[in-house]
């Protein structure tokens, strides 16, 4: 499944958000230890944000576009009073060409948004959908996303389902509120947070792919033996999601958001505690969660338009970007990559030098083409020079083309203890590189980190 999140800089006391802020995205990916393949981003009503959309594509992530209804009502949409704005947005979406997931007017089964629990919702959605299709923006993949149901019978979203012909994906936003001091409820297991609503959606829209568009857990329980965020993350990533193939995308809500009128911040981010971050880092490494994009056209209800300057649907929108894969394995070879299908290009580590920080070493790896790089080793942590923090290996990164990639290496666990005790320790760093259109190759290097280096 695709994976990613709502990734806000406020979590790290940094400006901006992913994907437009490389620093914010880099921090999250470093903490997670894996590259995202989907990112949630907002757009104002009827305004297509090409800058943010292109930023998502540039980092190899599919945009999940969340759109409010501002300055208008559902009735005005039905009556055609918003048609000019809708058509303008649709033309810009069509020109963008790249498939993306689109969730307008989300959580209609709640009362907290102006479009929530409104009788006009379905008719307005259908009119919006029909105008976008009339313009020819077939790359818009319509995602009808509800709030996870709860004790209120009116939270059943069935009355607001636009119908199979008007929806490509279905989805939900689902949290474990626990006993959060910001909004206290009850502790839900990973399964309890999703399963009741998933069963409803699968009955209402059989065969539709499912997106968990917002998900997170608090640290606050009532003291029960399993009321632990790290354990909750383990259950979600290692057990629940891999056993539910209908779920095709999972996005973590990595934002320490606030609630109006209440002091403090939610503790949703994966970094709310070292244990939670470690659990997420470990769980997300599973092959269940894609770090390289699979074939993209299934995102669209009909095949996506051909990319500019090509005759092949799914070719990159911008020069130098990775070509979307033609199957579910690895991307096809990029033009000029120097790698023919079936070839086995060399991967080599450069010289090892002292790092810029105490107890680190600096090294580079030469990569001959586009592909997926994985770095791993016992007791090894890695920091790409564009990332602010070290992440525990294994770490993965999509490489858009031939390059020499530099990074720093440090230690943890028993290797860290040895470093502190003796002043130095040896590490073995290994690389696995899966080039586009070729077989994976491996390389390794030995290095020493010392206290006082640099």
């Amino acid at each position: 499944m695709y994976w990613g999140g709502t990734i806000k800089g406020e979590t790290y006391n940094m400006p901006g958000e992913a994907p437009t802020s490389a620093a914010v995205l880099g921090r999250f990916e470093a903490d997670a230890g894996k590259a995202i393949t989907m990112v949630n981003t907002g757009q104002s009503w009827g305004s297509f944000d090409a800058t943010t959309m292109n930023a998502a594509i540039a980092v190899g992530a599919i945009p999940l576009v969340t759109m409010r209804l501002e300055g208008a009502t559902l009735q005005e949409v039905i009556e055609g009073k918003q048609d000019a704005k809708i058509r303008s947005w649709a033309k810009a979406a069509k020109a963008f060409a790249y498939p993306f997931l689109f969730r307008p007017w989300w959580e209609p089964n709640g009362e907290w948004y102006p479009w929530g629990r409104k009788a006009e919702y379905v008719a307005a959605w259908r009119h919006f959908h029909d105008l976008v299709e009339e313009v020819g923006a077939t790359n818009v993949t319509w995602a009808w996303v509800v709030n996870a149901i709860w004790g209120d019978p009116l939270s059943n979203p069935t009355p607001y389902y636009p119908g199979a012909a008007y929806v490509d994906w279905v989805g939900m936003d689902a949290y474990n509120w626990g006993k959060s001091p910001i909004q206290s409820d009850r502790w839900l297991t990973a399964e309890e947070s999703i399963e009741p609503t998933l069963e409803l959606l699968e009955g209402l829209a059989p065969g539709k792919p499912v997106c968990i568009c917002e998900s997170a857990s608090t640290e606050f329980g009532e003291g029960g033996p399993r009321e632990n965020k790290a354990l909750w993350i383990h259950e979600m990533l290692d057990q629940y999601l891999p056993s539910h193939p209908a779920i095709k995308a999972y996005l973590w809500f990595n934002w320490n958001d606030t609630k109006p009128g209440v002091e403090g911040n939610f503790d949703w981010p994966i970094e709310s505690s070292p244990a939670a971050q470690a659990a997420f880092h470990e769980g997300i490494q599973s092959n269940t969660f894609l770090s390289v994009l699979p074939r993209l056209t299934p995102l669209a209800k009909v095949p996506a338009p051909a990319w500019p300057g090509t005759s092949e649907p799914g070719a990159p929108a911008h020069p130098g970007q990775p070509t979307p894969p033609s199957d579910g394995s690895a991307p096809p070879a990029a033009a000029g990559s120097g790698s023919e299908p079936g070839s086995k290009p060399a991967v080599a580590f450069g010289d090892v030098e002292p790092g810029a920080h105490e107890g680190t070493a600096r090294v580079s790896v030469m990569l001959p083409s586009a592909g997926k790089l994985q770095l791993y080793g016992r007791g090894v942590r890695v920091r790409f020079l564009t990332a602010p923090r070290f992440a525990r290996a294994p770490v993965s990164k999509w490489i858009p083309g031939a390059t020499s990639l530099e990074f720093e290496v440090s230690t943890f666990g028993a290797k860290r203890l040895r470093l502190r005790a003796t002043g130095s320790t040896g590490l073995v760093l290994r690389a696995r590189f899966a080039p586009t259109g070729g077989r994976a190759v491996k390389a390794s290097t030995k290095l020493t980190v010392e206290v006082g280096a640099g």
Side-chain angles (χ1 to χ4, degrees):
M1 65 183 68
Y2 303 106
W3 85 278
T6 302
I7 306 166
K8 300 284 189 176
E10 293 174 41
T11 302
Y12 312 112
N13 294 315
M14 298 168 65
E17 61 185 67
T20 49
S21 171
V24 171
L25 177 58
R27 170 64 183 273
F28 176 76
E29 290 187 332
D31 288 351
K34 194 168 189 177
I36 65 169
T37 45
M38 185 171 282
V39 61
N40 183 23
T41 181
Q43 288 188 3
S44 300
W45 169 240
S47 178
F48 191 86
D49 183 358
T51 299
T52 301
M53 299 291 277
N54 285 325
I57 299 306
V59 298
I62 294 169
L64 166 65
V65 174
T66 298
M67 180 177 283
R68 293 177 175 270
L69 181 62
E70 302 161 309
T73 65
L74 294 172
Q75 188 62 38
E76 288 175 339
V77 173
I78 296 170
E79 294 172 357
K81 295 179 180 178
Q82 296 294 311
D83 283 7
K85 182 169 285 191
I86 291 172
R87 285 196 173 96
S88 176
W89 181 87
K91 289 176 182 177
K94 180 182 179 181
F96 175 66
Y98 205 86
F100 63 93
L101 212 59
F102 181 49
R103 66 161 188 166
W105 313 341
W106 68 107
E107 301 177 4
N109 54 328
E111 296 182 290
W112 42 86
Y113 293 126
W115 54 85
R117 297 186 181 178
K118 294 292 192 296
E120 304 90 351
Y121 182 89
V122 169
W125 177 290
R126 291 178 175 179
H127 184 76
F128 186 9
H129 174 278
D130 288 346
L131 284 181
V132 173
E133 291 224 325
E134 182 182 299
V135 170
T138 57
N139 56 318
V140 179
T141 306
W142 293 79
W144 181 67
V145 179
V146 306
N147 194 82
I149 58 176
W150 63 101
D152 182 357
L154 295 179
S155 70
N156 187 320
T158 301
Y160 313 107
Y161 181 52
Y166 297 89
V167 171
D168 303 317
W169 286 47
V170 294
M172 75 180 83
D173 298 339
Y175 294 84
N176 172 32
W177 300 92
K179 290 300 178 180
S180 168
I182 309 299
Q183 181 171 320
S184 181
D185 189 15
R186 66 186 182 91
W187 187 270
L188 298 175
T189 65
E191 179 177 1
E192 289 171 338
S193 71
I194 292 178
E195 188 68 17
T197 311
L198 180 63
E199 289 181 355
L200 187 151
L201 292 177
E202 288 180 329
L204 188 62
K208 300 285 186 184
V210 178
C211 176
I212 309 301
C213 296
E214 296 178 21
S215 176
S217 172
T218 182
E219 296 272 2
F220 293 92
E222 295 182 272
R226 300 186 67 81
E227 294 180 4
N228 175 284
K229 181 173 180 176
L231 179 59
W232 192 95
I233 292 172
H234 166 73
E235 291 173 343
M236 179 67 77
L237 300 185
D238 296 348
Q239 299 173 14
Y240 184 79
L241 293 175
S243 64
H244 289 77
I247 300 174
K248 300 300 183 184
Y250 181 76
L251 290 91
W252 190 270
F253 195 78
N254 217 67
W255 182 15
N256 55 345
D257 196 10
T258 59
K259 184 176 182 179
V262 181
E263 291 187 9
N265 297 74
F266 285 108
D267 61 341
W268 300 135
I270 63 172
E271 300 91 350
S272 59
S273 68
Q277 183 184 335
F280 193 91
H281 184 287
E282 179 180 353
I284 208 67
Q285 305 309 316
S286 165
N287 290 335
T288 297
F289 307 104
L290 296 163
S291 59
V292 176
L293 293 178
R295 185 178 180 181
L296 299 182
T297 50
L299 276 174
K301 188 163 60 174
V302 296
W307 297 101
T310 75
S311 59
E312 178 188 356
H318 305 284
Q321 291 179 358
T323 302
S326 57
D327 56 34
S329 54
S337 68
S339 175
E340 296 298 328
S343 66
K344 198 169 184 179
V347 173
F349 284 102
D351 294 335
V352 179
E353 301 177 352
H357 304 84
E358 183 177 74
T360 69
R362 185 165 173 168
V363 67
S364 63
V365 62
M366 279 65 76
L367 303 167
S369 65
K372 178 184 176 182
L373 171 69
Q374 184 180 61
L375 298 171
Y376 57 100
R378 181 173 297 178
V380 173
R381 296 192 306 158
V382 175
R383 183 185 76 86
F384 293 106
L385 296 190
T386 56
R389 297 183 65 185
F390 286 89
R392 184 179 299 184
V395 297
S396 300
K397 189 176 183 65
W398 169 256
I399 308 300
T403 187
S404 176
L405 191 66
E406 291 189 284
F407 49 89
E408 280 190 309
V409 176
S410 69
T411 64
F412 71 92
K415 293 286 186 179
R416 186 67 175 172
L417 294 175
R418 179 177 176 82
L419 175 66
R420 290 175 176 173
T422 65
S424 69
T425 188
L427 299 172
V428 177
L429 179 65
R430 305 182 189 278
R432 182 184 185 276
F433 181 63
T436 55
R439 292 172 294 173
V441 292
K442 297 181 180 180
S444 64
T445 186
K446 295 181 179 179
L447 51 92
T448 299
V449 293
E450 298 178 339
V451 173

